[in-house]
Amino acid sequence: MKKFEEKTIATTPIFTGRVISLQVDEVELPDGKKGKREIVKHPGAVAIIAMTDEGKLVLVEQFRKAMERTLMEIPAGKLEPGEEPIVTAGRELEEETGYVCEEMEHVTSFYTSPGFADEYIHIFEAKGLRKKENAASLDEDEFVELLEVTLEEAAVLMKEGKIHDAKTVYALQYLLLKNR
Amino acid sequence: MKKFEEKTIATTPIFTGRVISLQVDEVELPDGKKGKREIVKHPGAVAIIAMTDEGKLVLVEQFRKAMERTLMEIPAGKLEPGEEPIVTAGRELEEETGYVCEEMEHVTSFYTSPGFADEYIHIFEAKGLRKKENAASLDEDEFVELLEVTLEEAAVLMKEGKIHDAKTVYALQYLLLKNR
């Protein structure tokens, strides 16, 4: 048995949407008591750390409805069924930024919110960026603006609260550690 | 108007739970078309970077039902209504680890999953740790095991996939950048 395993007694599906689904599991806790766990299922995601030849980090600014505000984030997107994360990474980079790359290297993967969601995000680093003519375009409900910033500018944007999400903060730390 | 703002046409509440709630917003997109956004509402959370006098990072291992596995994470917990994040941080540190601290310093805050959730996590660094006798205990549905690891051991645990979540990866990078 896994340590502290919580055995499923019953699963109640609550909602199935286009991006996420929600279920409530009734579980047997390690002490034999019963408990409930609210669980968001997510298909998983990729995010791409992309530096231009001029040493600028590629960001996209977009409106995030959950927070009712715009955020500046590294390019990212969710996995399509059956798609390899590295393929998703190349597709999202092209769609959101118009860049393609010579090499897409896996950096790490992590859960974003293990307390209530199974979202697992794969971080890639895109090397050898070049602008593509007639690049693939965004999904019809996506509106993003491309930004390219130095690491110093990114640090200021983070202090100002415009860069404000886990994957982008990760990317900035990764680049600082790499360039030290 | 905020850039790319998506105006709410209607909000449909789907679920209200103990930890999260779920709603679907019908929105007017920037091009005038309509779209839907699935939004998880979360009360917000804190996580605590705590190093012992022996230079070890304090972690807790716990079963995470969403992933059906145990993870090793920095101590964390969700905000209670009306509670200041710094107070939550002190309480969660004591409950999950038995440690109290002389100083709790705010490091940063970020959204964990801006694509579908408003969860906002505040990261604190606990300084001057000491074990408390008769420390406050865990919520009745929480089961965690305390671990103390060097940064080298933490790096190995990350490679092995036992450390595998955004806030703990952030903490490791933060400590590496601080100690460089």
Side-chain angles (χ1 to χ4, degrees):
Chain A
M1 196 187 106
K2 287 169 229 157
K3 204 188 287 181
F4 306 132
E5 184 166 1
E6 300 175 355
K7 280 183 223 152
T8 306
I9 299 167
T11 294
T12 307
I14 306 285
F15 172 80
T16 302
R18 204 173 51 94
V19 180
I20 55 171
S21 64
L22 173 66
Q23 66 190 53
V24 176
D25 282 8
E26 188 182 358
V27 297
E28 185 186 317
L29 298 169
D31 63 1
K33 289 182 183 166
K34 288 179 183 175
K36 288 199 172 176
R37 300 292 182 213
E38 298 155 11
I39 298 169
V40 172
K41 295 279 184 181
H42 185 281
V46 299
I48 305 104
I49 302 171
M51 293 286 278
T52 66
D53 288 346
E54 294 78 36
K56 293 190 172 181
L57 178 64
V58 177
L59 297 176
V60 292
E61 187 172 9
Q62 63 190 310
F63 187 79
R64 292 302 205 175
K65 189 65 186 168
M67 277 77 69
E68 294 285 354
R69 55 168 294 193
T70 54
L71 285 176
M72 295 173 180
E73 303 168 44
I74 58 172
K78 61 180 194 298
L79 296 178
E80 298 296 333
E83 193 178 46
E84 285 295 316
I86 196 167
V87 175
T88 317
R91 184 172 50 74
E92 290 290 344
L93 180 67
E94 181 178 339
E95 289 179 3
E96 294 199 342
T97 72
Y99 278 111
V100 291
C101 68
E102 280 166 22
E103 205 185 328
M104 189 66 86
E105 196 175 283
H106 180 249
V107 175
T108 193
S109 303
F110 49 77
Y111 297 107
T112 55
S113 300
F116 68 94
D118 72 346
E119 186 192 25
Y120 190 55
I121 190 163
H122 304 275
I123 311 285
F124 289 90
E125 185 171 4
K127 292 177 176 171
L129 288 194
R130 65 175 175 78
K131 273 280 177 186
K132 187 178 172 185
E133 287 189 41
N134 303 313
S137 59
L138 289 165
D139 292 341
E140 63 171 2
D141 66 348
E142 280 189 302
F143 299 84
V144 308
E145 185 167 285
L146 184 63
L147 287 157
E148 298 181 6
V149 300
T150 63
L151 287 189
E152 292 72 26
E153 289 165 343
V156 173
L157 290 169
M158 202 177 142
K159 280 211 178 102
E160 292 173 352
K162 287 172 186 160
I163 288 177
H164 220 55
D165 79 300
K167 64 183 175 303
T168 309
V169 169
Y170 175 87
L172 294 182
Q173 286 183 320
Y174 170 81
L175 292 168
L176 284 174
L177 282 167
K178 192 178 166 181
N179 296 337
R180 69 178 174 175
Chain B
M1 196 188 106
K2 289 169 227 157
K3 205 187 288 183
F4 306 131
E5 184 166 3
E6 299 175 355
K7 281 183 222 150
T8 306
I9 299 166
T11 294
T12 307
I14 306 286
F15 173 81
T16 302
R18 203 173 51 92
V19 180
I20 56 172
S21 63
L22 174 65
Q23 68 189 51
V24 177
D25 282 9
E26 189 183 356
V27 297
E28 185 185 317
L29 298 169
D31 63 1
K33 289 184 183 164
K34 289 179 182 175
K36 288 197 173 178
R37 300 293 181 209
E38 298 155 11
I39 298 169
V40 172
K41 295 277 185 182
H42 185 281
V46 298
I48 306 105
I49 303 171
M51 293 286 279
T52 66
D53 289 345
E54 294 78 37
K56 292 190 170 181
L57 178 64
V58 177
L59 296 176
V60 292
E61 186 172 9
Q62 63 190 310
F63 187 79
R64 292 301 205 174
K65 188 66 185 169
M67 279 75 70
E68 294 286 354
R69 56 167 294 193
T70 52
L71 286 175
M72 294 173 182
E73 304 168 42
I74 57 172
K78 61 180 193 299
L79 296 178
E80 298 295 333
E83 192 178 47
E84 285 295 315
I86 196 168
V87 175
T88 317
R91 183 172 52 76
E92 289 289 344
L93 180 67
E94 181 178 340
E95 288 179 2
E96 294 199 343
T97 72
Y99 279 111
V100 292
C101 68
E102 281 167 22
E103 206 185 326
M104 189 67 86
E105 195 175 285
H106 180 249
V107 175
T108 192
S109 303
F110 49 77
Y111 298 106
T112 55
S113 301
F116 69 93
D118 71 347
E119 187 193 23
Y120 191 55
I121 190 163
H122 305 275
I123 311 285
F124 289 90
E125 185 171 5
K127 293 177 176 172
L129 287 194
R130 65 175 174 78
K131 274 281 177 185
K132 186 176 172 188
E133 287 189 41
N134 304 314
S137 59
L138 290 165
D139 292 340
E140 62 170 3
D141 67 346
E142 281 190 302
F143 300 84
V144 308
E145 185 167 287
L146 184 64
L147 286 158
E148 297 180 6
V149 300
T150 63
L151 287 188
E152 292 71 24
E153 288 165 342
V156 173
L157 290 169
M158 200 177 144
K159 281 211 177 104
E160 292 173 353
K162 287 171 186 161
I163 289 177
H164 221 55
D165 80 299
K167 65 184 172 303
T168 310
V169 169
Y170 175 87
L172 293 182
Q173 286 183 319
Y174 170 81
L175 292 168
L176 284 174
L177 283 167
K178 191 178 168 181
N179 296 336
R180 69 176 174 178

